[in-house]
Amino acid sequence: MVFKRREKRSWGSLVQFLLWPKGGWTRAALYVKHRLHRLPDNPEKIARGIWAGVFTTFTPFYGLHFIVAGTIAFILRGNVLAALLATFFGNPLTYIPIGIISLRTGEFLLASEGLGHDGENLVSLFLGAFLDLKSNLYSIIIGGPVEWNDLIIFYQDVFFPYLIGGIFPGIIAASVCWMISLPLIRAYQNRRKGRLREKLREIKEKSTKFRK
């Protein structure tokens, strides 16, 4: 195939790319910003899509953020592609503080004691829940024993507080990004339209001179 990689990427290099993309996260953020500015839609819809994407990063639905962001953007009549790009607000550099803030807020709102999760424990808890779920689904297929107690504890102590607690900081962060992005995108599009009009005017002037 024409676009197939000549050398197959190893799992190690793939994980490294996900944790630290080529050029670093600063370059990745600049690329996302550039793509958002050039989306062929009105600034209001793009900004609503950004709101949906940023808000989604405060939900515990890891692995489903694209689906969640796209659904929220569709409901809000925002740009779905902008929502998908905005989910990069959540990355290995921000997911741990986002998770801790969301979990602490949820524990406060639910008046639960909390388990004192730090960033490392939070990652291991989600990874453990994923492995338990995978193991149980496999057991269902092959007819083996299924044990849901660990997942029930994870849901009660981590997932549900995270889900509830992520709503308020998610709304705040998404609204701030919406307020910042809307005027920036509008100004960029107006400036781009001005440049296009100027180029068209120059082309018309050149064609007029050529006819004379």
Side-chain angles (χ1 to χ4, degrees):
M1 295 179 64
V2 177
F3 299 103
K4 188 176 181 180
R5 295 178 61 91
R6 293 183 178 179
E7 296 181 2
K8 188 176 181 180
R9 176 176 284 174
S10 65
W11 282 104
S13 63
L14 180 60
V15 171
Q16 182 180 1
F17 173 78
L18 292 174
L19 294 176
W20 193 265
K22 187 177 181 180
W25 281 104
T26 300
R27 182 177 179 181
L30 292 174
Y31 172 77
V32 171
K33 176 183 176 182
H34 175 73
R35 292 296 301 161
L36 287 171
H37 283 167
R38 297 180 67 87
L39 287 176
D41 210 339
N42 66 69
E44 289 74 18
K45 290 190 67 175
I46 295 175
R48 287 197 294 270
I50 293 174
W51 192 99
V54 174
F55 175 79
T56 299
T57 62
F58 284 81
T59 66
F61 299 107
Y62 294 111
L64 301 174
H65 278 177
F66 274 10
I67 297 175
V68 175
T71 302
I72 295 176
F74 178 79
I75 294 173
L76 297 178
R77 296 184 179 181
N79 186 285
V80 174
L81 181 56
L84 302 185
L85 290 171
T87 58
F88 283 93
F89 180 84
N91 56 72
L93 300 178
T94 60
Y95 269 136
I96 289 178
I98 286 175
I100 293 175
I101 291 171
S102 299
L103 189 56
R104 292 286 183 270
T105 304
E107 291 171 347
F108 173 77
L109 294 175
L110 297 173
S112 60
E113 296 180 0
L115 301 178
H117 304 304
D118 57 21
E120 184 179 353
N121 288 336
L122 192 60
V123 173
S124 63
L125 285 169
F126 271 91
L127 180 60
F130 172 78
L131 294 176
D132 284 345
L133 180 60
K134 180 181 177 181
S135 176
N136 283 337
L137 292 177
Y138 181 73
S139 296
I140 292 174
I141 295 174
I142 64 175
V146 178
E147 179 59 57
W148 298 105
N149 286 340
D150 291 341
L151 286 173
I152 292 174
I153 294 174
F154 170 79
Y155 174 81
Q156 294 174 343
D157 293 343
V158 179
F159 187 88
F160 187 66
Y162 192 130
L163 179 65
I164 299 300
I167 294 175
F168 293 103
I171 290 175
I172 293 172
S175 299
V176 170
C177 291
W178 173 80
M179 289 187 294
I180 293 174
S181 63
L182 180 58
L184 290 177
I185 295 172
R186 185 181 289 126
Y188 177 86
Q189 290 188 352
N190 289 336
R191 186 168 64 250
R192 192 180 181 197
K193 289 178 181 177
R195 289 198 299 265
L196 289 175
R197 285 195 293 266
E198 182 65 23
K199 288 182 179 180
L200 288 174
R201 186 184 63 80
E202 292 177 358
I203 293 173
K204 288 182 180 179
E205 290 179 353
K206 289 180 180 180
S207 61
T208 301
K209 291 180 181 179
F210 179 77
R211 290 176 183 176
K212 292 180 179 180

